[in-house]
Amino acid sequence: AAIWHRTVILLKNVKKTLIMILRFLPLILCLVFMAIYLFSGREITAEGLMNYAPDNPWLAATFLILLYAFKSLTIFFPIIILNVLGGFLFEPLTAMLVNFIGVLVELSIPYWVGRLSGSGLAEKLKKKHPKLSELMNDNSNEFFKSFFLRVISCLPGDAVSMYFGARKVKFSTFLTGSFLGTLPGVVTATLLGMSITDPDSPMFWISVGFTVGISVISFLIYFFWKKAKKKTST
């Protein structure tokens, strides 16, 4: 009986250790990828990534989606580069589809990193990003918050995904709201990639105009939202 009791205790301790490792493993992997990106000393551009893309369309699509997954673990890697790359590599409909799948992957991975890391990560992210604390302290529903934070684009997208995961917001709610919020930017950047080799074409300048317009609109939305909130609190 004593041996069985010690065995049960040992198994419980092993289980607790494994759970602890699994909780912090995603965060550790995230930090490792961040370090690789920051200390590589290389500037990642769409033109540079094109040199590594396979000629086979299926392999090229897989390559691009894997880049989206890698981007989700670096935080600082600019996603617009991948949107543009997708537009350059594929035909219009294929480019949109591959970029949409890539964005869904890029949104999902940091969400689950946050979810497995626990609620403590949410508080750390709020302290690191005061705007996140400010934006999440209203009474709007989680779908609107996930949508709104993507529309205004004033915070690192992967940090936002981690926060929603750490808060254990329903995954389908988070993913739907976030995807809809990023949709205009993804479509515009994809169109920019399709016309990037022909800067004199109308599509190129329309895409550039929409890209700048989205940035200006997101800033204005955040500015007026903050002003209205300040007025309400006063």
Side-chain angles (χ1 to χ4, degrees):
I3 295 175
W4 173 252
H5 181 67
R6 286 196 296 269
T7 303
V8 170
I9 293 175
L10 178 62
L11 290 173
K12 286 183 178 179
N13 290 334
V14 170
K15 183 180 178 181
K16 287 181 180 179
T17 303
L18 288 174
I19 291 174
M20 185 67 67
I21 292 172
L22 288 173
R23 285 185 63 187
F24 287 100
L25 182 60
L27 190 58
I28 293 170
L29 289 174
C30 181
L31 293 173
V32 169
F33 277 106
M34 286 170 58
I36 292 172
Y37 169 69
L38 291 173
F39 295 107
S40 64
R42 296 179 180 179
E43 184 180 357
I44 301 177
T45 63
E47 185 179 359
L49 292 173
M50 288 173 195
N51 298 326
Y52 298 98
D55 294 328
N56 182 282
W58 289 99
L59 292 178
T62 303
F63 169 75
L64 184 56
I65 292 170
L66 287 174
L67 286 178
Y68 274 103
F70 174 76
K71 180 265 173 289
S72 71
L73 294 173
T74 60
I75 296 181
F76 304 108
F77 186 81
I79 193 172
I80 191 173
I81 289 177
L82 301 183
N83 300 154
V84 171
L85 181 60
F88 179 82
L89 290 176
F90 305 103
E91 295 298 321
L93 290 178
T94 304
M96 290 294 180
L97 179 61
V98 173
N99 275 344
F100 289 163
I101 294 173
V103 168
L104 290 173
V105 170
E106 186 268 335
L107 290 171
S108 300
I109 291 177
Y111 170 90
W112 289 108
V113 168
R115 183 123 184 181
L116 291 172
S117 298
S119 58
L121 179 61
E123 296 305 316
K124 291 179 181 178
L125 288 170
K126 287 174 74 173
K127 290 179 181 178
K128 185 176 180 181
H129 303 284
K131 285 184 180 179
L132 182 61
S133 179
E134 176 187 3
L135 290 162
M136 295 300 290
N137 283 336
D138 59 16
N139 296 321
S140 56
N141 61 53
E142 303 294 355
F143 174 84
F144 176 77
K145 288 177 183 177
S146 60
F147 174 81
F148 184 65
L149 284 172
R150 303 298 175 178
V151 169
I152 60 175
S153 304
C154 66
L155 289 165
D158 300 313
V160 172
S161 298
M162 286 183 191
Y163 179 81
F164 277 97
R167 284 275 306 274
K168 292 182 169 55
V169 172
K170 190 177 179 182
F171 179 63
S172 59
T173 300
F174 154 79
L175 191 62
T176 305
S178 296
F179 180 72
L180 291 176
T182 59
L183 195 58
V186 175
V187 172
T188 303
T190 305
L191 293 175
L192 181 62
M194 293 175 190
S195 58
I196 199 168
T197 56
D198 187 12
D200 294 327
S201 67
M203 180 183 285
F204 176 81
W205 289 107
I206 290 172
S207 302
V208 170
F210 273 116
T211 303
V212 174
I214 288 172
S215 300
V216 172
I217 290 171
S218 66
F219 170 78
L220 290 174
I221 290 174
Y222 175 69
F223 174 78
F224 286 113
W225 174 86
K226 191 172 182 179
K227 189 175 181 180
K229 186 175 180 181
K230 185 178 181 180
K231 184 177 180 181
T232 303
S233 61
T234 304

